[in-house]
Structures are given as C-alpha cells and as structure tokens.
Amino acid sequence: MSYGDLVIPTEPGTPPSPLFSGMLQFGYSTNYEFRGLIPAGENPVVPVYLDMRYDLSDTDAITLGFKETVFIGDNNMRLDDELVFDLSYQKTIHTETYLSLSGRIQDGGFAERVSSEFYNNSNNLYEVALALRHDIDFMPGFYIQGSVAYSFTGLQGWWYDLCIGSRARVSQDVHLGFQFGAAVTSSYWPARNNGWQSMYLRIIGEYALTSQVGIKAFTGVYWLGHGAHNVNKRYGSQVVQGNRWIAGIGVCYSF
C-alpha cells in the first residue's frame, strides 16, 4: 500500500477469490519516499505492509492496510519510524474503472518532522483521500490513475497525484510495469512553495515463486518541481532532493 494506490485484483477486472484476501510484504529500499519527495540525505528503510480486502459484492469491497517504515542506521533528518493506517471503500465500475475513498492516520516520518520543525505542530496526520483508476481500452495493460488527499492535522493541506502506468505479463510467472507521474500540493507549504512538487518514473518487476509467494523489485528516478525547489530556498537548507535514484526489493505472501 502506498499513497494513491488502490488495492485491486491482480488481474484488473477479475474479482479475487475467496471473499476475504490479503497480502503481507516486507523488503528494503535504498531511500525513503514521501509522496514523490525524497528527504535530504541518505535514508534507507525497511518497509512492512499488511493489506486485507473483504469483497461485499462483485463490485464493492472494504480494504484495511497497515504500513510500517523502519529507518535503518542514522537517517540525516532524524526521522522517526513511520506508521500508516488506511481504511478504504472501493468500487469497480464497468470492470475497467476503480474508485477508492479512504480515511488515513499517519504517525512519524517526513510529515511529522516537517510539522514539528517548521510549524511547531507535532500532531499525527489525519486525512481523507479519493483515488480513481481507469484501464485504457485501446492500450491493454495500461491505465491512468489520479488521487487527491486532504490532511486535517499535522502537515495540513491538499495533495494531488496523477500518473500513467502499465502492468503486463511477460511470462507465466513474470510481470513488468511502470508508473510515470507528478505530485502537486496546495496549502501544504507557504504559498509560493506549493504547486508542482516532483515528477517520477518507476519501473516495477514481479516474479511469482509459488501461487502465494512472490518477489517484487523496483527502481525509480525523482525530479524536483518548482514548488519543492522553493521549499529548499525558503528554509535555507536542502529539505528535499531531486534527480535522485532509488531502488528496492520485497517478498510478498498472498492469502
């Protein structure tokens, strides 16, 4: 689970079976990412995910997700380990469009550090989010996905993400995909620091070891936008960094 992602069936348009399903994943990433932004310095992490899904019908589902991001070593910004709780209602529309309405709570990580350092506000982040994904008819395996979130406390304001992506079967056990998108904010930062925050390109590979166990690997490049550059100028130090490459690998267990 990550911000803006929908927990959808492995093959788009095919409801999972049985009614209750889930996935447990843990791995390693060379750097920590917060909504398309890479905090300053080197911040390797071990992320652990637990996603659970209950199908109310062929088109409606409730999902529950937990994500714990553990920083290893001495991270440069003195970030605390990050815990995210996500409860979502998801709906499938005409087997090609997915909608998700979520409520989230986040403790620790970049949001808490920025809230406490710049705004003297160390509250947890409470937010609501809406995400929409549409599979492109004339380009099998490709999709467009957009999301918007509003945070009530902590790092307050609006955050938007829009990307185009693909997930294609290369062989019986291998899938390859990508995401190319951008992150935008309004009211997260002081006025001139909002707008375009970053652009990213992620490449994802998946290999099924068994019907329930698989390996996921990814690599990505992140570029800073105008708003994020102004954040660094305003606070007199490099808060976030661009032109950064990160990579990671994880092991997944589906049940």
Side-chain angles (χ1 to χ4, degrees):
M1 178 193 72
S2 63
Y3 293 108
D5 285 349
L6 282 73
V7 182
I8 62 173
T10 300
E11 297 298 332
T14 304
S17 180
L19 293 179
F20 176 80
S21 58
M23 182 184 72
L24 176 65
Q25 177 178 331
F26 66 92
Y28 169 80
S29 178
T30 57
N31 220 327
Y32 165 77
E33 173 204 350
F34 176 78
R35 306 187 174 189
L37 297 175
I38 309 297
E42 300 297 328
N43 305 290
V45 293
V46 173
V48 181
Y49 305 80
L50 175 61
D51 291 320
M52 295 172 287
R53 175 186 176 107
Y54 181 78
D55 285 278
L56 303 172
S57 68
D58 288 346
T59 59
D60 300 87
I62 298 294
T63 66
L64 180 63
F66 298 90
K67 178 185 177 184
E68 175 79 11
T69 301
V70 179
F71 291 89
I72 54 179
D74 297 323
N75 66 79
N76 292 61
M77 291 190 68
R78 306 187 305 279
L79 302 174
D80 294 331
D81 292 346
E82 179 183 270
L83 176 63
V84 179
F85 167 83
D86 183 293
L87 178 63
S88 301
Y89 165 74
Q90 297 192 358
K91 186 171 185 64
T92 303
I93 305 170
H94 302 304
T95 73
E96 296 172 345
T97 303
Y98 305 88
L99 179 147
S100 173
L101 179 63
S102 304
R104 299 194 188 113
I105 303 173
Q106 176 179 322
D107 176 61
F110 183 71
E112 183 180 71
R113 182 64 181 168
V114 169
S115 297
S116 132
E117 186 81 12
F118 303 143
Y119 306 123
N120 295 317
N121 175 10
S122 59
N123 290 333
N124 293 338
L125 188 152
Y126 293 87
E127 71 178 9
V128 291
L130 178 67
L132 186 68
R133 165 177 161 160
H134 179 71
D135 295 332
I136 303 173
D137 293 340
F138 58 89
M139 298 173 66
F142 284 78
Y143 60 86
I144 297 174
Q145 181 168 298
S147 58
V148 56
Y150 180 77
S151 305
F152 296 96
T153 62
L155 192 57
Q156 294 177 296
W158 292 92
W159 165 79
Y160 313 88
D161 188 286
L162 179 65
C163 75
I164 183 170
S166 174
R167 182 178 184 271
R169 183 186 294 275
V170 177
S171 68
Q172 180 65 30
D173 299 322
V174 178
H175 285 82
L176 289 177
F178 78 92
Q179 289 182 328
F180 179 69
V184 179
T185 64
S186 61
S187 71
Y188 252 45
W189 311 100
R192 295 187 179 183
N193 308 124
N194 287 293
W196 175 36
Q197 297 296 310
S198 71
M199 185 175 291
Y200 58 82
L201 173 64
R202 305 179 184 126
I203 307 296
I204 307 110
E206 305 172 41
Y207 178 70
L209 297 172
T210 69
S211 60
Q212 291 182 290
V213 180
I215 296 174
K216 287 187 178 182
F218 76 92
T219 185
V221 181
Y222 296 77
W223 301 273
L224 284 189
H226 178 73
H229 278 296
N230 285 339
V231 168
N232 286 333
K233 292 177 183 178
R234 178 183 178 89
Y235 294 106
S237 61
Q238 190 179 49
V239 179
V240 291
Q241 51 189 337
N243 302 324
R244 293 290 296 179
W245 168 85
I246 67 174
I249 191 168
V251 177
C252 312
Y253 171 71
S254 301
F255 57 90

